[in-house]
Amino acid sequence: MLGNFIKSGDFKGEKHVPVIVAPEKVKANEWFEVEVSVGKEIPHPNTIEHHIAWIDLYAIPEGANFIQHIGRFEFVPELSEPFVKTKIKLEKSCRLIALSYCNIHGLWENDLEISVE
């Protein structure tokens, strides 16, 4: 049911889509940086009336029947931008999923496949 309310799109044409920047290939159990932002190509408003409230980052490991919640990053309108850089490590290949919440336009998602060697 929640999936019915999550929107997606091309971040170059839609300012709400979270953008994930990370290496396509990483080594097992070694830390690497992941950057997630909203408004990379088209700036998103950052006012009290219209802003990105938070970004969640998830991983779905290859062959897993569950999702791992990596973290939630909350933003204060006018004082912080919807941008986060964090370090993670993976045991096996997975799909990273970023979910962002706009206080007016709801939930937006994007994903990125990461191969683990």
Side-chain angles (χ1 to χ4, degrees):
M1 174 126 178
L2 184 61
N4 295 334
F5 297 95
I6 299 174
K7 302 170 199 126
S8 63
D10 178 359
F11 72 88
K12 292 180 180 179
E14 173 55 60
K15 64 186 171 194
H16 294 93
V17 178
V19 178
I20 306 168
V21 177
E24 292 182 15
K25 292 184 181 180
V26 298
K27 294 186 187 242
N29 296 309
E30 286 193 10
W31 295 103
F32 65 95
E33 285 189 350
V34 176
E35 183 181 294
V36 185
S37 62
V38 175
K40 187 173 178 94
E41 295 286 326
I42 303 171
H44 187 279
N46 191 18
T47 64
I48 301 229
E49 298 78 23
H50 188 189
H51 61 273
I52 299 298
W54 50 260
I55 295 173
D56 273 350
L57 185 60
Y58 299 91
I60 302 176
E62 189 174 77
N65 294 325
F66 59 91
I67 193 167
Q68 296 173 333
H69 186 229
I70 295 171
R72 170 168 282 190
F73 309 94
E74 298 184 1
F75 308 100
V76 177
E78 299 179 343
L79 296 178
S80 59
E81 289 290 325
F83 172 90
V84 65
K85 188 182 285 190
T86 189
K87 285 188 173 186
I88 66 172
K89 59 183 175 178
L90 303 170
E91 291 182 14
K92 55 171 94 172
S93 297
C94 77
R95 181 165 55 124
L96 292 181
I97 300 172
L99 187 66
S100 64
Y101 178 73
C102 171
N103 70 314
I104 292 178
H105 300 105
L107 295 168
W108 293 79
E109 77 172 354
N110 200 1
D111 65 350
L112 180 68
E113 295 288 335
I114 305 286
S115 297
V116 173
E117 302 172 331

